[in-house]
Amino acid sequence: MLADLIREFCKEPENNYEVYENYTSRMTTFPGEETTITTIGIVVKQGDSFFDMMDQLGLFLEAKGVLDADLIGEELEGTGWESLGPDTVVYFPNIQDYHPLQP
């Protein structure tokens, strides 16, 4: 559900964001243990603030009536970001049941 809302958020005409399907990152789960996650991300272009994007995403989810849901809150916890060339990718490792869109 959250992945679909992220896709919808990125398609909003006023947003300059792209969906990054199947974003893969390595995360430390316990000291000394790493795992690879594959999830959805949002590409924030160089010069744009990912903090502003997160605020906009929060407002979007609130307008959709889902921001206060416990599941959505848990899925947004642990949000990460990494450089993607000159851009930044913000990714959501706790999204449950992530399935990329099929072409």
Side-chain angles (χ1 to χ4, degrees):
M1 179 170 129
L2 183 56
D4 291 335
L5 290 169
I6 288 171
R7 291 179 187 108
E8 185 178 337
F9 169 74
C10 289
K11 288 181 183 177
E12 291 286 304
E14 65 273 8
N15 292 338
N16 186 31
Y17 309 119
E18 295 176 24
V19 174
Y20 193 126
E21 296 284 353
N22 293 321
Y23 183 76
T24 301
S25 181
R26 296 192 58 77
M27 298 184 62
T28 301
T29 53
F30 293 103
E33 290 185 30
E34 285 190 349
T35 188
T36 300
I37 58 103
T38 300
T39 189
I40 194 169
I42 298 175
V43 178
V44 180
K45 299 291 184 188
Q46 180 181 17
D48 291 335
S49 166
F50 68 87
F51 291 114
D52 289 344
M53 183 279 298
M54 290 299 293
D55 286 342
Q56 292 169 7
L57 178 60
L59 292 171
F60 176 83
L61 294 174
E62 186 175 40
K64 295 291 183 178
V66 296
L67 185 61
D68 294 328
D70 289 336
L71 179 62
I72 297 298
E74 290 173 10
E75 289 182 300
L76 289 176
E77 284 182 22
T79 298
W81 61 89
E82 295 178 7
S83 292
L84 188 67
D87 302 328
T88 301
V89 63
V90 179
Y91 60 95
F92 307 91
N94 291 334
I95 288 183
Q96 303 297 310
D97 300 323
Y98 165 70
H99 300 289
L101 289 179
Q102 300 300 317

